[in-house]
Amino acid sequence: MASAPLHGGELPGMVDQELADLIRPGLTPAQACVLAVASCPGATDVLLAASGASHWSQAADAVAQPSLTAAKLREITGVFAAS
């Protein structure tokens, strides 16, 4: 289980729209972060808190996306490592 996938709201602040589009075009930075966490090997559930119904809906939409491949997760990790 992945808990606090947005790290208290800090992670989306580290992800600009360009990186969000690299993760999955059309997602917001927060949605892209949730999808990336949900796609990690071994993660079967994502536990998060939301401040309102729209945030829950956005998170649910992100988790409903097809999982990222291992190659895509490595590419994303490389972007963070380079910064």
Side-chain angles (χ1 to χ4, degrees), residues 17 20-22 24-28 31:
Q17 191 59 51
D21 288 340
L22 172 68
R24 179 71 42 82
L27 295 182
T28 67
Q31 287 176 307

Side-chain angles (χ1 to χ4, degrees), residues 2-83:
S3 179
L6 300 180
H7 194 48
E10 291 181 30
L11 191 55
M14 298 170 59
V15 175
D16 60 15
Q17 191 59 51
E18 183 178 356
L19 180 54
D21 288 340
L22 172 68
I23 294 169
R24 179 71 42 82
L27 295 182
T28 67
Q31 287 176 307
C33 292
V34 170
L35 175 59
V37 169
S39 297
C40 288
T44 57
D45 296 294
V46 178
L47 177 64
L48 59 87
S51 60
S54 67
H55 287 159
W56 278 113
S57 178
Q58 290 176 12
D61 290 346
V63 173
Q65 297 277 320
S67 293
L68 301 174
T69 64
K72 180 59 82 171
L73 288 171
R74 280 191 297 277
E75 182 180 5
I76 296 162
T77 302
V79 170
F80 277 113
S83 60

